[in-house]
Amino acid sequence: MGRTLILTDDLARAERLARNLGADGDVALHDLYGGAAPPAGAALVISDVSALTSESVRRLREALATVRGPATPFLALVHGNLGRGEIQATALGATRVLSASVAAAMLMNAVATMTGGRIAAPAGTLRAQAGEARDAFALMFRADSAPAPAIVDTGAALVNRAVREAKIRDWLRVVASFDDVTHRHCLSVAGLAAAFAGTLGLKDSDSRHLVKGALLHDIGKAKISLAILNKPAPLTPDERLEMDRHPALGHDMLRGESYDPLILSVVRSHHEFLDGSGYPDGLRGRDIPDLVRLITICDIFAALIEARPYKAPKSVHEAYAILERMGPKLDADLVRAFGPVAVACETPVRATA
């Protein structure tokens, strides 16, 4: 893809960034506060500066004037306040702006997009892969704005890859160690959706679509107060009414943001039941698309097997039996098809000597 030049105020941090890019010698580093002139001829310029002060902005502007041609893309990594950093980076002529805390795989995806190249993400451990997916989800789950579709695409790719390379029970075990309840739940549902897609034999594009819907299904909870989301006890009736607004709130967040209509249906309708007893619209039968039916099953199963401060987790067998007993509320054929996924979630009993 040609040489990448990183403009930095911390060479050690820039070296880690270069390793994350996996570019094997195609990355040059330039210390903005060193005495040397920056090298010319970069195919991509990345700035990684911890604080965009007036002095660092001046130094960046001077370096960019030397190294950047009219068609050279410039990726600015922002530490701290992303909104303020976006304004400063845009003033410097950035082609794209990302939070410096972004997961390595997301950074590589951005670089590949900007250079027209492809960079293979390192496989890493399951815990590292889950951590990258959590970082991606944290960027999605913001009350101030709808997530960019590219971030959701990357998050879905991370989950699909991890579940494909590991066992779903191991994915659920790692995700269960995360602190935030909503992060845990959405990543669990996404992992179950990826495993369900494999069981159903869906092609890769359909699997990614399903996992994207799973990641976004509870996005409306970004608009619900943390006091309700993280309450260590059952919700009161009034709190439950507020919580039940999240499908409509999420749908409103994503409308007009280039999301596929089926994804919008997942966000709005994942609490609808085939017998019309769900919410927010009381949909029935064929009014509920198959993609929504799939994610509803994953959503219910994940909620049942998750531990909460006010309830113990159900066993895999108990949770699946509850799905079966829901009868006309769920698609019976899909519940049967989910059976192998539920079995795969079970932790094997260790043999004793």
Side-chain angles (χ1 to χ4, degrees):
M1 69 173 186
R3 171 160 288 198
T4 296
L5 173 63
I6 300 177
L7 305 174
T8 184
D9 60 351
D10 185 330
L11 285 175
R13 189 180 65 233
E15 287 171 355
R16 291 194 296 272
L17 176 59
R19 288 195 297 271
N20 283 339
L21 288 173
D24 296 330
D26 284 336
V27 177
L29 310 181
H30 174 67
D31 183 358
L32 286 174
Y33 290 85
L44 169 68
V45 179
I46 300 176
S47 67
D48 180 37
V49 180
S50 57
L52 289 178
T53 63
S54 58
E55 177 61 16
S56 64
V57 168
R58 181 185 69 79
R59 290 174 180 265
L60 264 177
R61 185 174 287 113
E62 289 178 354
L64 288 165
T66 300
V67 303
R68 191 181 181 198
T72 307
F74 167 33
L75 171 62
L77 301 182
V78 174
H79 296 257
N81 186 293
L82 184 59
R84 179 183 176 187
E86 283 178 329
I87 294 172
Q88 293 171 310
T90 300
L92 286 167
T95 311
R96 185 168 178 185
V97 182
L98 284 178
S99 168
S101 63
V102 73
M106 294 181 65
L107 175 58
M108 287 187 286
N109 182 67
V111 170
T113 299
M114 294 175 73
T115 61
R118 295 180 60 128
I119 303 174
T125 65
L126 178 61
R127 182 167 293 278
Q129 290 171 332
E132 290 177 355
R134 177 184 56 186
D135 290 345
F137 185 79
L139 288 175
M140 295 179 215
F141 200 76
R142 294 170 49 187
D144 58 336
S145 62
I151 294 176
V152 184
D153 289 341
T154 299
L158 288 165
V159 174
N160 263 322
R161 187 186 72 186
V163 174
R164 186 170 59 246
E165 294 176 357
K167 293 180 172 62
I168 180 59
R169 66 169 178 263
D170 295 329
W171 171 264
L172 294 174
R173 175 179 52 79
V174 171
V175 167
S177 68
F178 295 159
D179 293 333
D180 188 279
V181 172
T182 304
H183 290 197
R184 285 202 311 261
H185 176 68
C186 289
L187 289 170
S188 294
V189 174
L192 289 166
F196 202 1
T199 296
L200 294 171
L202 299 185
K203 59 185 180 182
D204 286 348
S205 59
D206 291 335
S207 177
R208 285 195 301 272
H209 206 60
L210 182 63
V211 175
K212 282 163 59 176
L215 285 171
L216 287 170
H217 80 283
D218 270 347
I219 194 69
K221 288 183 179 178
K223 299 285 189 182
I224 304 296
S225 77
L226 291 177
I228 292 178
L229 282 181
N230 298 330
K231 185 178 180 181
L235 300 181
T236 66
D238 285 345
E239 290 168 339
R240 172 50 60 188
L241 284 174
E242 177 65 14
M243 180 70 88
D244 288 353
R245 295 176 62 227
H246 76 268
L249 291 172
H251 184 259
D252 288 343
M253 283 177 70
L254 299 187
R255 277 193 305 179
E257 296 293 335
S258 302
Y259 282 99
D260 184 281
L262 267 178
I263 296 293
L264 295 178
S265 293
V266 168
V267 172
R268 185 174 183 90
S269 304
H270 62 278
H271 285 293
E272 301 284 2
F273 293 132
L274 299 184
D275 64 358
S277 63
Y279 67 92
D281 302 309
L283 300 182
R284 288 180 174 271
R286 60 184 179 184
D287 292 329
I288 304 174
D290 287 345
L291 187 69
V292 178
R293 300 181 190 200
L294 289 163
I295 289 177
T296 296
I297 291 169
C298 296
D299 183 29
I300 295 169
F301 185 81
L304 290 169
I305 64 174
E306 290 167 358
R308 300 286 171 86
Y310 54 88
K311 78 169 186 71
K314 300 286 187 187
S315 72
V316 166
H317 291 293
E318 289 176 305
Y320 186 68
I322 289 171
L323 289 178
E324 291 181 308
R325 290 200 299 270
M326 291 181 71
K329 293 180 180 297
L330 302 176
D331 187 311
D333 291 336
L334 291 178
V335 170
R336 280 192 293 272
F338 187 76
V341 180
V343 171
C345 294
E346 186 177 14
T347 301
V349 177
R350 296 182 182 275
T352 55

